[in-house]
Amino acid sequence: MTAETPGSTEADAPHVLVRSEGRAGFLTLNRPRAINALTHPMVLRIQEALTAWEHDPAVKTVVIQGAGERGLCAGGDIRAIHDDARTGGTATLGFWRDEYRLNAHIARYPKPYVAFMDGIVMGGGVGVSAHGSFRVVTERSRVAMPETGIGFAPDVGGTHLLGRAPGELGTHLALTGAQADAADALLTGLADHFVPSEDLPRLAAELTRAPAHEVLPRFARQAPPGRLAAARDWIDACYAAGTVEEIVDRLLDHGVPEAKETATLLLTKSPTALKVTLAAVRRARSLDSLEAVLDMEFGLSSAALSSADLVEGIRAQVVDKDRDPRWTPATLAEVADADVARYFAEPSEPREIR
């Protein structure tokens, strides 16, 4: 991990540190107090660096990592999104458009893109890591798309990633926002390699000298056991239902205590976000590219920006931290089909996430 420049404060230090060494270019997200939450300028700086390195023959591999000890990236700067949504602003739409374009660029990047998914990796953090060609998790990794808890739906290509997970594991993670540890991230396809966190500095050093496909197998180890593999039976059976209401009923009726606990958890999330998320994950499975999914997600995000639940969810979880959101509508039964359809309506302007 890269520390702040000596004598500087986080406020005046660059929020993305860009450097090259040997054959590797390094991107370090540098807002450790905010767990490196992404801002619009950070997204643009990452895109600028990737574009430059794409055409630089000296840079053979790109590595992205997070400053500090807490994680790669906790997601987008949702306080800024809250303030924009609360006042009817549109700055967030510009942020999302550029962020999703960055996600697509990472996925099709022509050089090895190695993401150190150490610690907390959530929301936008998944977007700048899990679309890469080499995704490294550690014993500290906690990977999640927790958007339903703030009245939102998984974005940054999250429905694309989770829609391709084995069975209904991705549906479970999308609806609950549950955190995947290293083994669970590997099982669901959110990561490729497990490397102990203490070995990341040596891995980074080796990547400056040799190709990623040669280096990573030397550092990869067996991940500690996860939780999802043992839960496949009840997750696949319950989440195969056609609606969120049916999923909750199946979870409540299942004999496994964890299934009932999951039903209780789901009922604390935004009812609208749950229904939109289920529809989005299932639509993502039928779309033919990440870009098509990102286009869909931009529509979902745009609709959410004008919803009451996004503002209320961020207020309850991040601003006031009372953890008591008042969702509108308050129950699954009150969310009409038309409420969900609004999120999938054709936009007034082209999305063009390319």
Side-chain angles (χ1 to χ4, degrees), residues 265-283:
L265 173 64
L266 286 177
L267 293 175
T268 69
K269 309 296 183 180
S270 159
T272 301
L274 288 174
K275 290 196 172 185
V276 170
T277 295
L278 180 63
V281 170
R282 292 184 172 169
R283 289 193 186 202

Side-chain angles (χ1 to χ4, degrees), residues 108-170:
R108 63 173 182 265
Y109 203 65
K111 298 181 179 182
Y113 182 98
V114 183
F116 287 0
M117 301 172 70
D118 185 38
I120 292 173
V121 185
M122 297 185 182
V126 173
V128 297
S129 60
H131 297 300
S133 44
F134 296 94
R135 293 90 47 89
V136 178
V137 285
T138 75
E139 76 285 354
R140 295 159 23 96
S141 293
R142 298 294 180 267
V143 185
M145 299 295 297
E147 286 77 10
T148 57
I150 58 167
F152 198 46
D155 65 337
V156 300
T159 61
H160 174 78
L161 294 164
L162 296 175
R164 296 188 303 169
E168 296 295 334
L169 294 179

Side-chain angles (χ1 to χ4, degrees), residues 170-236:
T171 310
H172 169 71
L173 293 178
L175 293 181
T176 62
Q179 298 179 12
D181 60 19
D184 293 341
L186 294 167
L187 174 63
T188 54
L190 295 171
D192 311 296
H193 300 279
F194 171 79
V195 175
S197 59
E198 65 182 7
D199 290 341
L200 291 182
R202 289 197 302 116
L203 172 57
E206 284 298 310
L207 289 170
T208 69
R209 296 186 282 267
H213 71 273
E214 295 178 4
V215 171
L216 279 160
R218 301 204 302 265
F219 284 84
R221 300 290 182 267
Q222 182 71 37
R227 299 180 300 274
L228 289 182
R232 274 293 300 273
D233 287 348
W234 66 263
I235 287 176
D236 286 352

